[in-house]
Amino acid sequence: MTVRRTRLRAAAIGGVVLLFAAVGVVAAMGFGGGGEDRAQAGTTAPATATVTRQTLADSETADGELGYGTTRTATAKLSGTVTALAATGSTVRRGKALYQVDNEEVVLLYGGLPAYRTLAPGMEGADVAQFERNLQALGYTGFTVDDEYTGSTADAVRDWQEDLGLAETGRVEPGRVVYADREVRVESHQAAAGDLTQPGQTVLTYTGTDRVVTVELDVDDQRLAKRDAKVAVKLPDGRAVDGTVRTVETVVQPGAAGANGQSGDVETKIEVTVAVTDPKALTGFDQASADVTFTVSERRDVLTVPVAALLALAEGGYGVQVAEGDATRILAVTTGLFADGRVEVDGADLTEGMAVVVPT
């Protein structure tokens, strides 16, 4: 997706460089830090702009997609026959089945660490603690939630397996659970009841349950992607709603296929998920586009002038040429934030409402 830039720092610097040619003119005409230049009779009055006091924001707008966020896959780790799948569009919560293999449930649990090994008495690790937290949340007791898989844990697992109709082994095979951060929405089926499945085969895809806006940024724009940062979202119907950056992930995508049909170089992108303050505002928009504006920095109640009004001074730094009736004078200024074609300025004698010369 293409980022449409509203920040004009590069243009601003370019404008300043062009104005360096004016330095010799400024010095030759005798413009000092506070000198005056009386306009000659018959000359055309210079174009001017007004010094304004405003809030200046360094922001960028990117294309976003309305939906349910990142799509993830549930991949089989068991060989057998798919006998049932949770319905597309349905919500699956902790302890409930995403699908069944050989008529036995593969259930959803909450956590960020994928199931990668069989858990059994004597094992230790973060995956043990993650599983035990889920077991406790499902109402099973008699064990301590820690990173050790004990005999007491195995007893609770047998009770869990009995309730699921599984063989009561006291061991947890990685193919029997799928971990997600929270409840999920089934997006699509990649297999059908009756299909044979084997490890590595995609069974279904799922997303989060909340409507969100997903934005894909280039790596160069990673500075925009700050978790919990406030953003503005413009919906397809023109309404504007407030949003907050919920997640920021680096994703690797295959490049476009070449002429010989082989995949091109992979691309690295930054995927940003934005939650809006009023989720109901997103109702009715499926797979639609939205504009998301990221504000990197903001300066409130500052004096600003057009970037083109800046002059590079012979003695160093910048100034503006203030027009006062038939006379002009140069005031030295300190620059701040550049945004939207204007620049924050501060000077000892600079005040709101002054007219500054802008080259035509």
Side-chain angles (χ1 to χ4, degrees), residues 109 117-120 131 149 157 160-161 169-177 179:
L109 298 179
R117 61 175 179 169
T118 297
L119 301 182
F131 175 77
Y149 196 110
V157 167
W160 175 62
Q161 291 171 328
T169 63
R171 299 159 60 92
V172 182
E173 298 176 352
R176 287 295 167 198
V177 297
Y179 283 103

Side-chain angles (χ1 to χ4, degrees), residues 167-252:
E168 299 168 33
T169 63
R171 299 159 60 92
V172 182
E173 298 176 352
R176 287 295 167 198
V177 297
V178 174
Y179 283 103
D181 291 338
R182 50 182 298 182
E183 62 189 25
V184 302
R185 167 186 169 273
V186 178
E187 182 173 74
S188 68
H189 293 163
Q190 304 300 306
D195 286 354
L196 295 177
T197 185
Q198 57 186 358
Q201 180 179 337
T202 299
V203 178
L204 55 79
T205 63
Y206 61 89
T207 66
T209 57
D210 296 334
R211 290 179 179 271
V212 294
V213 184
T214 303
V215 182
E216 197 173 83
L217 299 173
D218 292 332
V219 174
D220 292 344
D221 294 309
Q222 189 166 8
R223 68 188 185 87
L224 302 176
K226 303 298 182 183
R227 186 180 174 88
D228 297 327
K230 302 301 181 183
V231 299
V233 179
K234 185 177 180 181
L235 300 177
D237 61 4
R239 286 182 297 157
V241 294
D242 294 330
T244 303
V245 174
R246 175 186 287 174
T247 62
V248 178
E249 296 184 47
T250 301
V251 297
V252 178

